[in-house]
Amino acid sequence: MSEWYFKKNEQRVGPFTNVEMIALYRKKEINDLTLVQRSPHPEWVAFKQTELHQHTGNHGNSELKIGNLFSAVFKKHSKEEGEKVFIAGTKYTTPATSDIPHTWPHPWVFSRVFLVLIITYFLLLACTYLFENSNTIPGLMVIGSFAVPFSVLLFFFETNAPRNISVFDVVKMFFIGGVAALVATLVIYSIIPVGKLNYFNALLVGFIEETGKMIIVALFIRSLNSKYILNGLLIGAAVGAGFAAFESLGYAFNYSVDAAFLFKDIHIAGETMMNVIFSRGWQSIGGHVVWAAITGAALVIAKGDQKLGMHHIFTGTFWKWFIIPIALHFAWDCPFNPLPAIAFKQIVLIVIVWFVILRLISKGLKQVSAISAASKAAK
């Protein structure tokens, strides 16, 4: 009979039998993320990754549960738990299809990374303004522009239940994919020039920029031959996050230079830079990152079990989803803007896009559940 142990306050508690462990779970004394160990094996794994989880009555629950999605953010986590997140996606750590968890994920590492970046930002801010050290201004712009998009990207990395895409791949898509998407967008802009942002041109901008990102997302999905909707969300978010970060960095630089030239005052230039970084930072939770994530999911849904081809982009299945980021981008850029002082339009659009994202995560978990069940039936 197996002997099980679990970690509580960094202490090893046990041993317990299979039945006792399931009872502890049902009493909520342990949860999906509790680290457990089965003697005589030395490794610690999350309870939801063990075979016991299948007998708790909570396996396969993929209904929309926003509270569960963020429930782990404010809990204390060990260093080992964080390390397990970052080693996902390698040849040795990608779970078998039948072992992929298809309950709602509990991401939390993204919040810790965001905290690290924010602390770094304020330290650079202190160097720049308290000690009047201009050498730290480039770092201030880079960290300020990258903090939110990169943290949101890690959220999608943690919600990728198949755990089949590594941190290296994600970083590659963030940097190369993000910049490649900017290049693709500029190429399209050179063919279809856009003038002042009226309603028609705002629609053109939405179509051009979402298409530019879509091209690069499609190339990565085809290269990785991703079959999961959750993979599509992650790949799209990686490209979108890189696009958003570099674009924000460009805006922060250009607006501060323009302000310095116009007002001949370095302090006004600094305030302008800070305002751009802040506004584009918090608004990026509902911008390019999540728009491209929807596009990535749409491509995976459209291709199904096939290898992604050009013909999939011209299907109704793809456009049913792809029209959403285009429409949201249009609404974001168009002149209609009630209550601009409180960014009312942006807040409403952020709520709408995250409702779509959560529906896609739910759809992705149901897909994982179906594939896992088919894999087990085939054994």
Side-chain angles (χ1 to χ4, degrees), residues 7 10 33 35 43-46 49 77-90 92-94 108-110 112-113 154 157-158 163 165-167:
K7 271 191 179 180
E10 299 301 320
L33 299 179
L35 291 178
E43 64 272 8
W44 290 87
V45 298
Q49 296 177 313
H77 299 275
S78 66
K79 181 181 178 182
E80 290 79 7
E81 289 179 272
E83 290 171 346
K84 284 185 177 294
V85 172
F86 285 113
I87 64 173
T90 70
Y92 306 101
T93 57
T94 300
W108 61 273
V109 172
F110 77 95
R112 306 310 193 265
V113 171
L154 286 180
F157 178 69
E158 290 186 83
R163 319 302 292 159
I165 299 177
S166 68
V167 168

Side-chain angles (χ1 to χ4, degrees), residues 263-276:
F263 297 101
K264 311 297 183 185
D265 190 327
I266 193 66
H267 296 291
I268 293 178
E271 289 177 10
T272 302
M273 177 191 70
M274 298 281 292
N275 289 335
V276 170

Side-chain angles (χ1 to χ4, degrees), residues 230-269:
L230 296 172
N231 290 169
L233 284 169
L234 173 56
I235 294 168
V239 173
F243 186 100
F246 285 107
E247 186 181 57
S248 293
L249 180 58
Y251 277 117
F253 175 78
N254 284 326
Y255 275 85
S256 61
V257 169
D258 288 346
F261 178 78
L262 195 63
F263 297 101
K264 311 297 183 185
D265 190 327
I266 193 66
H267 296 291
I268 293 178

Side-chain angles (χ1 to χ4, degrees), residues 131-145:
F131 298 97
E132 298 183 348
N133 188 335
S134 60
N135 292 333
T136 54
I137 292 176
L140 189 66
M141 287 193 290
V142 170
I143 297 298
S145 301

Side-chain angles (χ1 to χ4, degrees), residues 97-132:
T97 302
S98 57
D99 296 330
I100 297 174
H102 34 91
T103 54
W104 272 86
H106 298 78
W108 61 273
V109 172
F110 77 95
S111 63
R112 306 310 193 265
V113 171
F114 176 69
L115 182 62
V116 168
L117 292 172
I118 289 301
I119 291 172
T120 305
Y121 178 77
F122 279 106
L123 289 173
L124 288 167
L125 198 64
C127 291
T128 304
Y129 286 95
L130 292 182
F131 298 97
E132 298 183 348

